[in-house]
Amino acid sequence: MERLNIAVFVSGSGTNCENLIRYFMNTDNIRVALVVSNKPEAYALVRAQRLNVPTAVVTKAELNNEDVMMPLLQQHAVGMIVLAGFLPLVPDFLVEAFPRRIINIHPSLLPKYGGKGMWGRHVHEAVKAAGDTETGMTVHYVSNVCDGGEIIAQFRVAVSPDDSVDEIMEKEHQLEMRHFPVVIEKLIEENNNN
């Protein structure tokens, strides 16, 4: 099987990004070949560089410029894009160029707490405010609608009224660490077998 190069798009600290790099480091057929961020100060870039993964910082204008993004991705032979805490909307030309090959992780059980402004701590605050008895993570395909793409997998964890926002966030984050790389690997294997 031919090796698949993944580009991970990030905006923040990059714990999921580092987890993915490390997970695929010892596989022959999948690797993280590029980490792209819209924020030059994103700690994810440091994590990637420490693990010898090439990085790129793109401005909003560059992200939305096909003549910038497509050559960048082609240069690293990227076959799939994984969003791991990437805040900007993915431009339509990328969604069209990578059909069913851009996936996102979202820190709630979509369709709950998705859409504009619902990211990171905002999501966990909403879970707490609603008094939900469970939360979780969703892995979904990226479409032209924010958090609107087809759901690939969801994982749940119980939360109690006594849990703080930080405790809810940590419970959900543990799901991401455990399941996100495995979901990606299974998805790639299924696509290769079809």
Side-chain angles (χ1 to χ4, degrees):
M1 181 170 49
E2 196 177 313
R3 184 171 71 192
L4 178 73
N5 286 344
I6 295 173
V8 180
F9 284 28
V10 293
S11 295
S13 75
T15 53
N16 270 306
C17 179
E18 180 173 346
N19 193 34
L20 292 173
I21 294 168
R22 290 186 182 281
Y23 186 87
F24 292 118
M25 208 175 257
N26 299 315
T27 63
D28 293 331
N29 56 341
I30 305 166
R31 78 173 177 132
V32 176
L34 177 66
V35 172
V36 176
S37 182
N38 63 312
K39 294 183 179 279
E41 71 281 6
Y43 193 68
L45 297 169
V46 175
R47 292 177 190 270
Q49 289 159 359
R50 284 183 182 158
L51 295 168
N52 300 312
V53 175
T55 61
V57 176
V58 294
T59 64
K60 184 175 182 178
E62 289 169 334
L63 174 66
N64 289 292
N65 185 337
E66 193 168 351
D67 295 331
V68 172
M69 291 306 296
M70 292 309 292
L72 173 64
L73 297 170
Q74 288 160 356
Q75 177 189 340
H76 296 276
V78 169
M80 177 183 247
I81 298 171
V82 173
L83 310 184
F86 188 67
L87 299 182
L89 284 176
V90 174
D92 289 349
F93 70 82
L94 279 182
V95 174
E96 289 160 17
F98 290 87
R100 293 177 71 84
R101 290 182 293 132
I102 306 178
I103 65 171
N104 182 40
I105 188 169
H106 186 78
S108 79
L109 296 168
L110 290 174
K112 276 187 157 185
Y113 314 120
K116 190 169 173 57
M118 277 296 170
W119 54 272
R121 190 172 183 86
H122 303 292
V123 173
H124 307 298
E125 288 169 348
V127 169
K128 173 77 174 166
D132 287 357
T133 56
E134 67 176 3
T135 189
M137 60 170 270
T138 301
V139 181
H140 66 94
Y141 289 109
V142 171
S143 71
N144 302 56
V145 178
C146 181
D147 294 329
E150 178 190 341
I151 292 172
I152 299 164
Q154 290 185 314
F155 299 91
R156 299 167 188 275
V157 64
V159 293
S160 82
D162 298 332
D163 286 342
S164 68
V165 172
D166 287 338
E167 287 166 331
I168 293 169
M169 189 160 53
E170 181 55 30
K171 285 181 176 183
E172 188 277 329
H173 188 64
Q174 289 305 315
L175 291 179
E176 294 179 359
M177 293 292 103
R178 189 162 55 248
H179 296 292
F180 196 29
V182 178
V183 169
I184 293 168
E185 186 173 44
K186 282 183 181 168
L187 189 65
I188 291 167
E189 286 171 1
E190 286 170 11
N191 288 343
N192 285 335
N193 292 330
N194 289 340

